[in-house]
Each structure stands twice: as C-alpha cells, then as structure tokens.
Amino acid sequence: MVNLSTFQQYLTTNAPLSQPLPRSFNSDEQHLRKWAALLPLQTETQQIEQLEQVLTELRTANIDDRQRLTLFNIVLDAANQLIALLRQHYIYETQAFNAYQLDYVAQVKSLYYLMIMGYDGVIKRETAFLTDNESQSTTNLWQRYFTNDKSSSITLAIATYQTLLMYQKLLFEEALCYQKPTASLWSNINQLYYMACQQRTVDIDVSAYITTHCADTIHQLYAQLCLHSLLNVRAMRRANILMVQRLLLEWSEHLIITVEPQTETKVFVNLNSDSAPTYLTAHCAINPYDAHHDCVFIELAALVTHLKSRRDKL
C-alpha cells in the first residue's frame, strides 16, 4: 500500500524521462479487458493486490504512452468499481471514522496515488517532448509541422486531466475524514494547472478521447477543485459533503477563473504555491495583481446569483 510520504517521494525523484526499462507485461488490450471483467469475482483483498500489481507493471512497462493511456483507462474502470465498494464501508458513517474505516480510506487513497504515479511519467515525457519541439529554430518549421505535436498535446491533456481527477478524489476523501487538505496536494494541483496553461492544453476537450463524467477540460476540472475548497466542506455534515461533491459540476459552470481579473475580486490562487484559493488580505505574502506572480483570479458573482435563483425557486 502506498502512503502520502512514499507518493511524494516518488513524484520528487528525478527519474529519467526516457521510456521505462523493459518489463514483462502483457500489453494486449483484449487480455486486459478479460482480466478486468473477471476481477469482481475475487475478494476485495485479492482485487486490491491485483490492481496494485497491474498499475505498477503498467507504469514501468516499455510501451508507447498512447497505448499506456488506453490500457490505463481499462484499469481505471476496474479500480473505480472496487473503490465504490470500499467506500461503502464509511461514506454514510454519521460519527467519526473508526480504525477499521480509516483502513479502507487509506486503501482507497493508495489506489489513487498509484494511478497518479502512472500518469506522472506520461506527463513528464510528453512535456519534455513538446518543450523540445517548441525550442527548435524556425528553420525547422516544416519538419515540426509534420511531427506529432498535436498527438502529444492530446496525450498530455488526457494524462493531466486524469491526474487532476485523481487529486480531486483525494481531496474528497480528506473532506470525508474532516482532514485539512495536505499542502503538497495543492502544490501538485497548481503546478499541473500552470503547466497546462503553458502547454496550451488547458482548454482541450478530452471528452472526444475518453469518457468524462464531471468536466470536459482541465480548466473546468480545476474550477471544481477551487470551488470545493472555497465551500469549506469540512464545516458540513458528511451527508451534505457528499451532496455538495455531486453538485460541483453544475455549480462550477458559474465560476469564472481568469488570468486577468474582470472585477475587483479578492479571491485568487498563486499557481507557484501550495495554497488553495485564498482571499486577499493585508496579511497575504504576495500581491496577486503584481505581474511578477503567476496567479489566477476567481469571480464568484455569477455563482452567487445562480444559487440565489435556485433558492428562490424552492
């Protein structure tokens, strides 16, 4: 089982950007689909062990990253089915979680960590490829035109989106445990969003390539992450936390996040920090309106108007 410390250590290790060393792994898609179909027939413990093994092997297998993402989708579906079962042990608890339930939470988080670790290598390799192509001289413009820049951008967008989705689910788990979000998680989230902005993948509609349920772009998903933080869900009952998490898709559509503030909003995120959305006060470490800082601003007026209109209809 992977814990937060092991997870963070993995992400901060400067691993080679080349393809992983060859490992014995059956990369046949039909074989993996058959495995995923038979997985629910086993016990929860057996399913966890097999998922951990397959996720590790898939992360280190010497295969093309596009094929890796295709196989990851199959494993992700299988993992989500198991996670839904594991969460039944604690999500409806009205009291504080006991040790038995916290063990299930830790196991769910471990699976999310493993999935992020799998996507991390893809993100680093594709980012390095796109950065290298961007730095080529203008004399190679025709050569660059005929390379697979677009394919790499889509691959990067999918891997980044799926990673942010796992972070969202990790934050959901911490909220259910009434735990303050780990600063390192927000640092990773902000870095991913900043990188997506730099690589111009933030608005790519990934629903054309993968099945999406809560957002179609990296920007929309990041908006949901910000809104979840702003709502201060740890002050709610667990049943209300679950309800709010289901409503994030609808509510976040009315949240506006921009690089240039459209009003005198005082809610911002410093993308080079480990901070969640912050309200600007005299005690803030930076001035987000200073051009030297990479910040985004959050406009709440449209969301407040939407919530008021919904309230008036009740």
Side-chain angles (χ1 to χ4, degrees), residues 5-58:
S5 176
T6 305
F7 170 67
Q8 282 300 120
Q9 183 179 4
Y10 175 86
L11 293 186
T12 54
T13 300
N14 292 322
L17 294 181
S18 58
Q19 288 288 349
L21 294 174
R23 294 286 186 90
S24 176
F25 181 76
N26 190 335
S27 59
D28 179 66
E29 184 176 340
Q30 293 305 315
H31 173 81
L32 198 61
R33 289 190 185 279
K34 183 178 180 180
W35 166 83
L38 296 175
L39 189 64
L41 300 179
Q42 303 186 52
T43 66
E44 288 180 352
T45 302
Q46 290 172 327
Q47 290 184 61
I48 291 170
E49 291 175 351
Q50 289 201 26
L51 278 168
E52 289 177 342
Q53 179 183 351
V54 171
L55 283 168
T56 301
E57 292 178 351
L58 185 51

Coordinates of all heavy atoms in Angstrom, one line a residue, residues 5-58:
S5 N 3.7 9.8 2.1 CA 5.1 10.0 2.1 C 5.8 9.4 0.9 O 6.6 10.0 0.2 CB 5.7 9.5 3.4 OG 7.1 9.7 3.4
T6 N 5.5 8.1 0.7 CA 6.0 7.4 -0.4 C 5.6 8.0 -1.8 O 6.4 8.1 -2.7 CB 5.5 5.9 -0.4 OG1 5.9 5.3 0.9 CG2 6.2 5.1 -1.5
F7 N 4.4 8.4 -1.8 CA 3.9 9.1 -3.0 C 4.6 10.3 -3.4 O 5.1 10.5 -4.5 CB 2.4 9.4 -2.8 CG 1.7 10.2 -3.9 CD1 1.6 9.8 -5.2 CD2 1.3 11.5 -3.5 CE1 1.0 10.6 -6.1 CE2 0.7 12.3 -4.5 CZ 0.5 11.9 -5.8
Q8 N 4.8 11.2 -2.4 CA 5.5 12.5 -2.6 C 7.0 12.2 -2.9 O 7.6 12.9 -3.8 CB 5.4 13.4 -1.4 CG 4.1 14.1 -1.2 CD 3.8 15.0 -2.4 OE1 2.8 14.8 -3.1 NE2 4.7 15.9 -2.7
Q9 N 7.6 11.2 -2.3 CA 9.0 10.9 -2.6 C 9.1 10.5 -4.1 O 10.1 10.8 -4.7 CB 9.5 9.8 -1.7 CG 10.9 9.4 -1.9 CD 11.4 8.4 -0.9 OE1 10.6 7.8 -0.1 NE2 12.7 8.0 -0.9
Y10 N 8.1 9.7 -4.5 CA 8.2 9.2 -5.9 C 8.1 10.4 -6.9 O 8.9 10.5 -7.9 CB 7.0 8.3 -6.2 CG 6.9 7.9 -7.7 CD1 7.7 6.8 -8.2 CD2 6.1 8.6 -8.6 CE1 7.6 6.4 -9.5 CE2 6.0 8.2 -9.9 CZ 6.8 7.2 -10.4 OH 6.7 6.8 -11.7
L11 N 7.2 11.4 -6.6 CA 7.0 12.5 -7.5 C 8.2 13.4 -7.6 O 8.4 14.1 -8.6 CB 5.7 13.3 -7.1 CG 4.4 12.6 -7.3 CD1 3.3 13.6 -6.9 CD2 4.2 12.0 -8.7
T12 N 8.9 13.5 -6.5 CA 10.0 14.5 -6.4 C 11.4 13.8 -6.9 O 12.4 14.5 -6.9 CB 10.2 15.0 -5.0 OG1 10.3 13.9 -4.1 CG2 9.0 15.9 -4.6
T13 N 11.3 12.5 -7.1 CA 12.5 11.9 -7.6 C 12.8 12.2 -9.1 O 11.8 12.1 -9.9 CB 12.4 10.3 -7.4 OG1 12.2 10.0 -6.1 CG2 13.7 9.6 -8.0
N14 N 14.0 12.6 -9.4 CA 14.3 13.0 -10.8 C 14.6 11.7 -11.6 O 15.7 11.3 -11.9 CB 15.5 13.9 -10.8 CG 15.2 15.2 -10.2 OD1 14.1 15.8 -10.4 ND2 16.1 15.8 -9.5
A15 N 13.5 11.0 -12.0 CA 13.6 9.8 -12.8 C 13.9 10.2 -14.2 O 13.6 11.2 -14.7 CB 12.3 9.0 -12.7
P16 N 14.6 9.3 -15.0 CA 14.8 9.5 -16.4 C 13.6 9.7 -17.2 O 12.5 9.1 -16.8 CB 15.5 8.2 -16.9 CG 16.1 7.6 -15.6 CD 15.1 8.0 -14.5
L17 N 13.6 10.6 -18.2 CA 12.4 10.9 -19.0 C 12.2 9.9 -20.1 O 11.2 10.0 -20.8 CB 12.5 12.3 -19.5 CG 12.5 13.5 -18.4 CD1 12.5 14.8 -19.1 CD2 11.2 13.4 -17.6
S18 N 13.2 9.1 -20.3 CA 13.0 8.1 -21.4 C 12.0 7.0 -21.0 O 11.5 7.0 -19.9 CB 14.4 7.4 -21.7 OG 14.8 6.8 -20.5
Q19 N 11.6 6.2 -21.9 CA 10.7 5.1 -21.6 C 11.2 4.2 -20.5 O 12.4 4.1 -20.4 CB 10.4 4.3 -22.9 CG 9.6 5.0 -23.9 CD 8.1 5.2 -23.5 OE1 7.7 4.6 -22.6 NE2 7.4 6.0 -24.3
P20 N 10.4 3.7 -19.7 CA 10.8 2.8 -18.6 C 11.6 1.6 -19.1 O 11.5 1.3 -20.3 CB 9.5 2.4 -17.9 CG 8.5 3.4 -18.3 CD 8.9 3.9 -19.7
L21 N 12.3 1.0 -18.3 CA 13.1 -0.2 -18.7 C 12.1 -1.3 -19.0 O 11.0 -1.4 -18.5 CB 14.0 -0.7 -17.5 CG 15.1 0.3 -17.2 CD1 15.8 -0.2 -15.9 CD2 16.1 0.4 -18.3
P22 N 12.5 -2.2 -20.0 CA 11.6 -3.3 -20.4 C 11.2 -4.1 -19.2 O 12.0 -4.5 -18.4 CB 12.4 -4.0 -21.4 CG 13.4 -3.1 -21.9 CD 13.7 -2.2 -20.7
R23 N 9.9 -4.4 -19.1 CA 9.4 -5.3 -18.0 C 8.4 -6.3 -18.7 O 7.8 -6.0 -19.7 CB 8.6 -4.5 -16.9 CG 9.5 -3.5 -16.1 CD 10.4 -4.3 -15.2 NE 11.1 -3.4 -14.3 CZ 10.7 -3.0 -13.1 NH1 9.5 -3.3 -12.7 NH2 11.5 -2.2 -12.4
S24 N 8.3 -7.4 -18.1 CA 7.4 -8.4 -18.6 C 5.9 -7.9 -18.3 O 5.5 -7.9 -17.1 CB 7.6 -9.7 -17.9 OG 6.7 -10.7 -18.3
F25 N 5.2 -7.6 -19.3 CA 3.8 -7.1 -19.2 C 3.1 -7.4 -20.4 O 3.5 -7.1 -21.5 CB 3.8 -5.6 -18.9 CG 2.4 -5.1 -18.7 CD1 1.7 -5.3 -17.5 CD2 1.8 -4.4 -19.7 CE1 0.4 -4.8 -17.3 CE2 0.5 -3.9 -19.5 CZ -0.2 -4.1 -18.3
N26 N 1.9 -8.1 -20.3 CA 1.1 -8.4 -21.4 C 0.3 -7.1 -21.8 O -0.7 -6.8 -21.1 CB 0.1 -9.5 -21.1 CG -0.6 -10.1 -22.3 OD1 -0.8 -9.4 -23.3 ND2 -1.0 -11.3 -22.3
S27 N 0.7 -6.5 -22.8 CA 0.0 -5.2 -23.2 C -1.1 -5.4 -24.2 O -1.6 -4.4 -24.8 CB 1.1 -4.2 -23.8 OG 1.6 -4.8 -25.0
D28 N -1.6 -6.6 -24.3 CA -2.7 -6.9 -25.2 C -4.0 -6.3 -24.6 O -4.4 -6.7 -23.4 CB -2.9 -8.4 -25.5 CG -4.1 -8.7 -26.3 OD1 -4.1 -8.3 -27.5 OD2 -5.0 -9.3 -25.8
E29 N -4.7 -5.5 -25.3 CA -5.9 -4.8 -24.8 C -7.0 -5.8 -24.4 O -7.6 -5.7 -23.4 CB -6.4 -3.7 -25.8 CG -7.6 -2.9 -25.3 CD -8.0 -1.9 -26.3 OE1 -7.1 -1.5 -27.1 OE2 -9.1 -1.4 -26.2
Q30 N -7.2 -6.8 -25.3 CA -8.3 -7.7 -25.0 C -8.0 -8.6 -23.8 O -8.9 -8.9 -23.0 CB -8.5 -8.6 -26.2 CG -9.0 -7.9 -27.5 CD -10.3 -7.2 -27.1 OE1 -11.2 -7.7 -26.5 NE2 -10.4 -5.9 -27.6
H31 N -6.7 -8.9 -23.6 CA -6.3 -9.7 -22.4 C -6.6 -8.9 -21.1 O -7.1 -9.4 -20.2 CB -4.8 -10.0 -22.5 CG -4.3 -10.6 -21.2 ND1 -4.4 -12.0 -20.9 CD2 -3.6 -10.1 -20.2 CE1 -3.9 -12.2 -19.8 NE2 -3.4 -11.1 -19.3
L32 N -6.3 -7.6 -21.2 CA -6.6 -6.7 -20.0 C -8.0 -6.6 -19.8 O -8.5 -6.5 -18.6 CB -5.9 -5.4 -20.2 CG -5.6 -4.6 -18.9 CD1 -4.7 -5.3 -18.0 CD2 -5.0 -3.2 -19.3
R33 N -8.8 -6.5 -20.8 CA -10.3 -6.3 -20.6 C -10.9 -7.6 -20.0 O -11.8 -7.5 -19.2 CB -11.0 -6.0 -22.0 CG -10.7 -4.7 -22.5 CD -11.5 -4.3 -23.7 NE -11.2 -3.1 -24.3 CZ -11.6 -1.9 -23.8 NH1 -12.4 -1.9 -22.8 NH2 -11.3 -0.8 -24.4
K34 N -10.4 -8.7 -20.4 CA -10.8 -10.0 -19.8 C -10.5 -10.1 -18.3 O -11.3 -10.5 -17.5 CB -10.2 -11.2 -20.6 CG -10.7 -12.5 -20.1 CD -10.1 -13.7 -20.9 CE -10.5 -15.0 -20.4 NZ -10.0 -16.2 -21.2
W35 N -9.2 -9.6 -18.0 CA -8.8 -9.6 -16.6 C -9.7 -8.7 -15.8 O -10.2 -9.0 -14.7 CB -7.4 -9.1 -16.5 CG -7.0 -8.7 -15.1 CD1 -6.5 -9.5 -14.2 CD2 -7.0 -7.4 -14.6 NE1 -6.3 -8.8 -13.0 CE2 -6.5 -7.5 -13.3 CE3 -7.3 -6.1 -15.1 CZ2 -6.4 -6.3 -12.4 CZ3 -7.2 -5.0 -14.3 CH2 -6.8 -5.1 -13.0
A36 N -10.0 -7.5 -16.3 CA -10.9 -6.5 -15.6 C -12.3 -7.1 -15.4 O -12.9 -6.8 -14.4 CB -10.9 -5.2 -16.4
A37 N -12.8 -7.8 -16.4 CA -14.2 -8.4 -16.3 C -14.2 -9.4 -15.2 O -15.3 -9.6 -14.6 CB -14.6 -8.9 -17.7
L38 N -13.2 -10.2 -15.0 CA -13.2 -11.3 -14.0 C -12.8 -10.8 -12.6 O -13.0 -11.5 -11.7 CB -12.2 -12.4 -14.5 CG -12.6 -13.1 -15.8 CD1 -11.5 -14.1 -16.2 CD2 -14.0 -13.8 -15.6
L39 N -12.2 -9.6 -12.5 CA -11.7 -9.1 -11.3 C -12.8 -9.0 -10.2 O -12.5 -9.4 -9.0 CB -11.1 -7.7 -11.5 CG -10.3 -7.1 -10.3 CD1 -9.1 -8.0 -10.0 CD2 -9.9 -5.7 -10.5
P40 N -14.0 -8.6 -10.4 CA -15.0 -8.5 -9.3 C -15.4 -9.9 -8.7 O -16.0 -9.9 -7.7 CB -16.2 -7.9 -10.0 CG -15.7 -7.1 -11.2 CD -14.5 -8.0 -11.7
L41 N -15.0 -11.0 -9.4 CA -15.3 -12.3 -8.8 C -14.4 -12.6 -7.6 O -14.7 -13.6 -6.9 CB -15.2 -13.3 -9.9 CG -16.1 -13.2 -11.2 CD1 -15.8 -14.3 -12.2 CD2 -17.5 -13.2 -10.8
Q42 N -13.4 -11.9 -7.4 CA -12.5 -12.1 -6.3 C -12.8 -11.3 -5.1 O -13.6 -10.4 -5.1 CB -11.0 -11.9 -6.8 CG -10.7 -12.7 -8.1 CD -9.2 -12.5 -8.4 OE1 -8.3 -12.6 -7.6 NE2 -9.0 -12.1 -9.7
T43 N -12.1 -11.6 -4.0 CA -12.4 -10.9 -2.8 C -11.8 -9.5 -2.9 O -11.0 -9.2 -3.8 CB -11.7 -11.6 -1.6 OG1 -10.3 -11.6 -1.7 CG2 -12.2 -13.1 -1.5
E44 N -12.2 -8.6 -2.0 CA -11.7 -7.2 -2.0 C -10.2 -7.2 -1.9 O -9.5 -6.5 -2.6 CB -12.4 -6.4 -0.9 CG -13.8 -6.1 -1.1 CD -14.4 -5.3 0.0 OE1 -13.7 -5.1 1.0 OE2 -15.6 -4.8 -0.1
T45 N -9.7 -8.0 -1.0 CA -8.2 -8.1 -0.8 C -7.5 -8.5 -2.0 O -6.5 -7.9 -2.4 CB -7.9 -9.0 0.4 OG1 -8.5 -8.5 1.6 CG2 -6.4 -9.0 0.7
Q46 N -8.0 -9.5 -2.7 CA -7.4 -10.0 -3.9 C -7.5 -9.0 -5.0 O -6.5 -8.8 -5.8 CB -8.1 -11.3 -4.3 CG -7.8 -12.5 -3.4 CD -8.6 -13.7 -3.8 OE1 -9.8 -13.6 -4.2 NE2 -8.1 -14.9 -3.6
Q47 N -8.6 -8.3 -5.1 CA -8.7 -7.3 -6.1 C -7.7 -6.1 -5.9 O -7.1 -5.7 -6.8 CB -10.1 -6.7 -6.1 CG -11.2 -7.7 -6.6 CD -12.6 -7.0 -6.6 OE1 -12.8 -6.0 -7.3 NE2 -13.5 -7.5 -5.9
I48 N -7.5 -5.7 -4.6 CA -6.6 -4.7 -4.3 C -5.2 -5.1 -4.7 O -4.4 -4.3 -5.3 CB -6.7 -4.3 -2.8 CG1 -8.0 -3.7 -2.5 CG2 -5.5 -3.4 -2.4 CD1 -8.2 -3.5 -1.0
E49 N -4.8 -6.3 -4.3 CA -3.5 -6.8 -4.6 C -3.2 -6.8 -6.1 O -2.1 -6.4 -6.6 CB -3.3 -8.2 -4.0 CG -3.2 -8.2 -2.5 CD -3.1 -9.6 -1.9 OE1 -3.3 -10.6 -2.7 OE2 -2.9 -9.7 -0.7
Q50 N -4.2 -7.3 -6.9 CA -4.0 -7.4 -8.4 C -4.0 -6.0 -9.0 O -3.2 -5.8 -9.9 CB -5.1 -8.2 -9.0 CG -5.0 -9.7 -8.7 CD -5.8 -10.6 -9.7 OE1 -6.0 -10.2 -10.8 NE2 -6.2 -11.7 -9.2
L51 N -4.8 -5.1 -8.5 CA -4.8 -3.7 -9.1 C -3.5 -3.1 -8.8 O -2.9 -2.4 -9.7 CB -5.9 -2.9 -8.5 CG -7.3 -3.1 -9.1 CD1 -8.4 -2.5 -8.3 CD2 -7.3 -2.5 -10.5
E52 N -2.9 -3.2 -7.6 CA -1.7 -2.6 -7.3 C -0.6 -3.2 -8.2 O 0.3 -2.4 -8.7 CB -1.3 -2.9 -5.8 CG -2.2 -2.1 -4.8 CD -1.9 -2.4 -3.4 OE1 -1.3 -3.5 -3.1 OE2 -2.3 -1.6 -2.5
Q53 N -0.6 -4.5 -8.4 CA 0.4 -5.1 -9.3 C 0.3 -4.6 -10.7 O 1.3 -4.3 -11.3 CB 0.2 -6.6 -9.2 CG 1.2 -7.4 -10.1 CD 1.0 -8.9 -10.1 OE1 0.2 -9.4 -9.3 NE2 1.7 -9.6 -10.9
V54 N -0.9 -4.6 -11.2 CA -1.1 -4.2 -12.6 C -0.8 -2.7 -12.8 O -0.1 -2.4 -13.8 CB -2.6 -4.5 -13.1 CG1 -2.8 -3.9 -14.5 CG2 -2.8 -6.0 -13.1
L55 N -1.1 -1.9 -11.9 CA -0.8 -0.5 -12.0 C 0.7 -0.2 -12.0 O 1.2 0.6 -12.7 CB -1.5 0.3 -10.9 CG -3.0 0.6 -11.0 CD1 -3.6 1.1 -9.7 CD2 -3.3 1.6 -12.1
T56 N 1.4 -1.0 -11.2 CA 2.8 -0.9 -11.1 C 3.5 -1.3 -12.4 O 4.4 -0.7 -12.9 CB 3.4 -1.6 -9.9 OG1 2.8 -1.1 -8.7 CG2 4.9 -1.5 -9.8
E57 N 3.0 -2.5 -12.9 CA 3.6 -3.1 -14.1 C 3.3 -2.2 -15.3 O 4.2 -2.0 -16.2 CB 3.0 -4.5 -14.3 CG 3.5 -5.5 -13.3 CD 2.9 -6.9 -13.6 OE1 2.0 -7.0 -14.4 OE2 3.3 -7.8 -12.9
L58 N 2.1 -1.6 -15.3 CA 1.7 -0.8 -16.5 C 2.5 0.5 -16.5 O 2.9 1.1 -17.5 CB 0.2 -0.5 -16.4 CG -0.4 0.3 -17.6 CD1 0.0 -0.3 -18.9 CD2 -1.9 0.4 -17.4

